[in-house]
Amino acid sequence: MKSVEIRVPATSANLGPGFDALGLALSLYDEVEAALTGEPGVVVTVEGEGAGEVDLGEGHLIVRAMRATFDRMGAPQPAGIRLRCLNRIPHARGLGSSSAAVCAGILAARALAGGELSDDAVFALATEMEGHPDNVAPCLAGGLTVAWSDHVGAPHMVKLSPDERVRPVVVVPSTRLATETARGLLPKDVPHKDASFNAGRAALLIAALTQRPETRLLLAATEDRLHQHYRAPAMRESADLVERLRAVGVPAVVSGAGPTVLAFSTSDTQDLIAPEVGNDWHIQQMDVDPVGANVQFPETR
């Protein structure tokens, strides 16, 4: 029985003004052991997040991603698949749990099939399955990523290295919010002045995160007019927390589609976050993951 182990990081997308473009890999990981067996059928075990909730058969997202990858490679579908999942990334909280599952499945299938599938093809398939590239890019590459699609719809990304002083803090609520619900609140068109505003703030955010992570710059750079206020009715507590944190000088945004809040802790704001957060939230300071998804065969460790 051939097996492979995959570790994939949580991610935070948008980062305020970088809607559907910017993403950050975080030091919180799902771990997956995937094996091809001679016994027909799919066996999935899940510990941690999603245990008792997710599909344990063909409908499991990692299994679906593996199946899609075998097809994309022109490889025969295996007789049996066994997955053991240790999940730490909260589901439906805006921390890239579905992107992590998609990336894990694609990388597992590529490794187990032993066929040819380039990193660009992995990224393209992951984007196709996820629907947009902003979470899959940092999950695969690590660090800070800028992702976009060209005129024919092919995704591309650039990886950047954040300044070592950048300290992300995630504030996770007990409530959930589906990405589809959050996207459904967005208007089809936005005012030109808002688009222009966000373009400037996104450019400033790249400079602040990679060169000058000063509180005053990060506060300005994380302002957004394209998506957060439109989505606020679906996550009022998250929107209120972002406002409270920003009012006391903490650069804070909604992580991805929410409802998790992402804050950037600096030397002059690290003691300001906890007092604004209630007991129903889980606060966790993280590092930026620098490498992204990791693939290992057990016998090579």
Side-chain angles (χ1 to χ4, degrees):
M1 183 170 58
K2 188 177 183 182
S3 65
V4 66
E5 296 177 354
I6 313 289
R7 189 180 81 161
V8 283
T11 53
S12 182
N14 302 327
L15 309 182
F19 180 68
D20 277 2
L22 299 184
L24 193 67
L26 304 171
S27 59
L28 179 67
Y29 305 96
D30 282 355
E31 297 177 3
V32 179
E33 180 184 352
L36 305 184
T37 71
E39 298 294 326
V42 172
V43 177
V44 180
T45 59
V46 176
E47 297 180 43
E49 297 288 338
E53 300 177 359
V54 299
D55 192 301
L56 298 180
E58 291 287 350
H60 193 281
L61 186 52
I62 294 178
V63 175
R64 286 158 39 204
M66 292 180 70
R67 298 288 193 198
T69 306
F70 290 130
D71 287 343
R72 184 63 56 92
M73 297 174 65
Q77 291 289 341
I81 294 175
R82 189 195 71 192
L83 294 180
R84 295 173 60 185
C85 306
L86 175 56
N87 296 339
R88 301 183 182 91
I89 305 172
H91 288 194
R93 302 299 208 291
L95 288 170
S97 61
S98 63
S99 293
V102 166
C103 292
I106 294 172
L107 292 172
R110 179 175 73 167
L112 291 170
E116 293 294 328
L117 192 69
S118 68
D119 289 345
D120 286 344
V122 167
F123 180 40
L125 179 56
T127 299
E128 181 182 320
M129 293 195 67
E130 183 66 5
H132 37 88
D134 51 346
N135 279 109
V136 296
C139 185
L140 290 170
L144 170 67
T145 56
V146 184
W148 74 98
S149 298
D150 61 24
H151 65 284
V152 296
H156 303 272
M157 67 166 140
V158 171
K159 175 182 176 180
L160 303 171
S161 296
D163 188 288
E164 62 183 12
R165 293 169 290 176
V166 172
R167 302 289 291 174
V169 176
V170 295
V171 188
V172 185
S174 58
T175 55
R176 301 183 179 189
L177 178 64
T179 300
E180 295 79 8
T181 301
R183 281 190 171 269
L185 296 173
L186 299 178
K188 293 182 178 180
D189 300 294
V190 297
H192 185 277
K193 64 179 181 179
D194 290 345
S196 175
F197 179 93
N198 268 52
R201 291 305 194 272
L204 178 60
L205 183 57
I206 294 294
L209 289 176
T210 59
Q211 300 178 37
R212 294 176 57 185
E214 305 161 15
T215 301
R216 66 179 185 87
L217 291 182
L218 285 169
L219 266 173
T222 49
E223 291 180 303
D224 161 68
R225 293 183 182 176
L226 288 188
H227 65 102
Q228 291 186 145
H229 65 286
Y230 293 112
R231 291 168 160 173
M235 46 179 153
R236 178 50 60 190
E237 291 181 349
S238 299
D240 290 345
L241 177 57
V242 169
E243 290 183 8
R244 292 200 306 274
L245 288 171
R246 297 186 67 85
V248 297
V250 177
V253 298
V254 173
S255 178
T260 291
V261 170
L262 174 73
F264 291 108
S265 175
T266 62
S267 59
D268 53 347
T269 65
Q270 59 187 5
D271 296 328
L272 301 176
I273 298 175
E276 300 299 329
V277 179
N279 294 330
D280 293 335
W281 302 74
H282 174 68
I283 307 175
Q284 187 171 354
Q285 182 164 306
M286 298 186 180
D287 295 319
V288 176
D289 173 84
V291 297
N294 178 266
V295 180
Q296 288 189 340
F297 290 98
E299 61 271 17
T300 65
R301 290 185 301 173

